[in-house]
Amino acid sequence: MLFETRSSPHFSGPQSVTKVMGMVLLALIPGTAALFWYFGWGVLINIAIAITTAVVAEAAVVGLRRRDIGYALGDLSAVVTAWLLALALPPLLPWWQTVMGTAFAIVIVKQLFGGLGYNPFNPAMAGYVLLLVSFPVTMTRWLPPDVISSQGLSLADSLHIIWSNSPPAGQTWDALTSATPLDQMRTQLSQNQMISEIRESPLWGDFGGRGWEWVGNWFLLGGLFLLWRGVINWRIPVSMLASLALVAGVFWAIDSQTHPFPAFHLFSGGAMLGAFFIATDPVTASTTPRGQLIYGALIGLFVFIIRTWGGYPDAVAFSVLLMNMAAPTIDYYTQPRIFGQRDDDDA
């Protein structure tokens, strides 16, 4: 009798890669809408440029590898990578820098390691760090939130600036752009100003950076949606945010005039986006239950350390990449006990 033999895997999960990526994109919409509301058309233009670049780059490399282009693009992973990278970029970044960062993320960080599932580093964060290290001036040129800005930019103005890398006629970059709350905090603390003095800045909101705090809230909402749908588990985001809040709280309790309140760290930069959408990347993050707690907690710790004593005001990208390198080691030492294994088996 002949038995039919099928190649593995023999079982498939209820969620396909395309479905998971689609839910991630759906969860990104509230935070993206908030960014657009506060920072204007540049946010959407960056997303459009990044997605176009990612799709073209992925198709080109997959074609050169003689793989199925439609299958590779159909999993939506390139779109997710491009969208996440674009959200981290300043709204008026020159278009060619967005193209460069996205192409690097897709071609070098993802495809040259074998494609989806094989990349050791988060592609979006690797692309962001490449741009931040290579172009520090343009990468720190953020717009002030719309609620305190006197320079409302139309779609045409935003396209002109992004395309030409020059401000509109009669305006200067200094008049058009502003430091982020994290950057301003860092700069003014280095000038020996107290938190009470810095809080008088219009960039401060109720518990974080003005505008930024609401962007963080909407990314938090998207993250809760992913938890509810089972796309991510709670360990990495909770341990990362708890670690960041705990360490910030300890230093704030020691000296509240030189260390901001923990909520400022959680809602003034990329902490919420990083905790729910970036650190939880199933390919590059730790996979064991205890390992995920360690992985997330160390990301939160590194975010605080780099923000406070490092060279960059925000640190989510660097912290995630550092822990990407450590994830295999964490997994090795945190393997769960095999069913039926006794304590003396460990000896």
Side-chain angles (χ1 to χ4, degrees), residues 235-236 286-297 330-331 334:
R235 294 183 183 87
I236 291 177
S286 179
T287 56
T288 64
R290 279 191 301 153
Q292 289 174 339
L293 292 173
I294 297 171
Y295 176 85
I330 294 174
D331 283 349
T334 57

Side-chain angles (χ1 to χ4, degrees), residues 271-326:
M272 288 298 168
L273 178 66
F276 289 100
F277 294 93
I278 295 171
T280 52
D281 177 13
V283 177
T284 57
S286 179
T287 56
T288 64
R290 279 191 301 153
Q292 289 174 339
L293 292 173
I294 297 171
Y295 176 85
L298 288 176
I299 290 178
L301 177 62
F302 278 124
V303 168
F304 179 81
I305 291 174
I306 297 175
R307 281 181 179 178
T308 306
W309 299 290
Y312 293 93
D314 202 357
V316 172
F318 288 103
S319 301
V320 168
L321 293 180
L322 286 172
M323 291 314 300
N324 287 165
M325 289 190 289

Side-chain angles (χ1 to χ4, degrees), residues 10-326:
H10 302 289
F11 297 99
S12 59
Q15 293 183 341
S16 66
V17 174
T18 302
K19 186 176 180 180
V20 168
M21 294 296 171
M23 284 193 282
V24 172
L25 293 174
L26 184 62
L28 282 172
I29 290 176
T32 303
L35 270 174
F36 168 65
W37 178 266
Y38 284 108
F39 298 100
W41 288 99
V43 174
L44 302 185
I45 296 171
N46 280 349
I47 292 174
I49 294 173
I51 290 178
T52 303
T53 304
V55 169
V56 172
E58 180 124 308
V61 177
V62 171
L64 289 173
R65 295 175 61 196
R66 301 182 185 279
R67 303 292 177 87
D68 187 341
I69 296 176
Y71 180 81
L73 295 178
D75 63 24
L76 298 179
S77 61
V79 177
V80 170
T81 296
W83 196 313
L84 290 173
L85 173 59
L87 292 177
L89 300 178
L92 299 181
L93 191 71
W95 67 271
W96 60 271
Q97 293 182 16
T98 304
V99 170
M100 178 180 172
T102 308
F104 175 81
I106 296 297
V107 176
I108 305 297
V109 184
K110 181 182 177 184
Q111 288 297 336
L112 289 191
F113 282 96
L116 181 65
Y118 296 95
N119 48 291
F121 298 102
N122 185 293
M125 292 299 95
Y128 174 82
V129 167
L130 170 75
L131 295 176
L132 184 61
V133 172
S134 304
F135 311 104
V137 175
T138 53
M139 284 293 288
T140 52
R141 194 182 282 163
W142 270 86
L143 290 171
D146 182 67
V147 287
I148 62 173
S149 174
S150 60
Q151 306 286 345
L153 293 176
S154 65
L155 173 60
D157 289 337
S158 300
L159 284 170
H160 168 77
I161 295 171
I162 290 172
W163 211 254
S164 66
N165 191 28
S166 61
Q171 297 188 24
T172 64
W173 284 117
D174 289 340
L176 197 65
T177 60
S178 168
T180 65
L182 287 170
D183 196 15
Q184 188 190 49
M185 172 68 69
R186 177 186 179 81
T187 301
Q188 296 194 2
L189 283 176
S190 68
Q191 297 170 351
N192 297 321
Q193 293 194 37
M194 298 291 102
I195 298 287
S196 56
E197 297 174 306
I198 302 173
R199 283 188 65 103
E200 296 176 1
S201 165
L203 282 176
W204 277 78
D206 296 324
F207 50 89
R210 180 165 291 176
W212 291 90
E213 56 195 4
W214 289 105
V215 172
N217 278 329
W218 287 109
F219 279 126
L220 171 61
L221 181 66
L224 295 177
F225 169 77
L226 294 180
L227 287 173
W228 172 56
R229 298 298 299 171
V231 175
I232 61 175
N233 71 59
W234 61 271
R235 294 183 183 87
I236 291 177
V238 170
S239 59
M240 176 185 160
L241 296 176
S243 170
L244 177 59
L246 177 63
V247 179
V250 169
F251 279 88
W252 174 76
I254 294 172
D255 187 352
S256 62
Q257 284 301 313
T258 58
H259 294 284
F261 189 70
F264 179 81
H265 281 281
L266 298 180
F267 292 97
S268 296
M272 288 298 168
L273 178 66
F276 289 100
F277 294 93
I278 295 171
T280 52
D281 177 13
V283 177
T284 57
S286 179
T287 56
T288 64
R290 279 191 301 153
Q292 289 174 339
L293 292 173
I294 297 171
Y295 176 85
L298 288 176
I299 290 178
L301 177 62
F302 278 124
V303 168
F304 179 81
I305 291 174
I306 297 175
R307 281 181 179 178
T308 306
W309 299 290
Y312 293 93
D314 202 357
V316 172
F318 288 103
S319 301
V320 168
L321 293 180
L322 286 172
M323 291 314 300
N324 287 165
M325 289 190 289

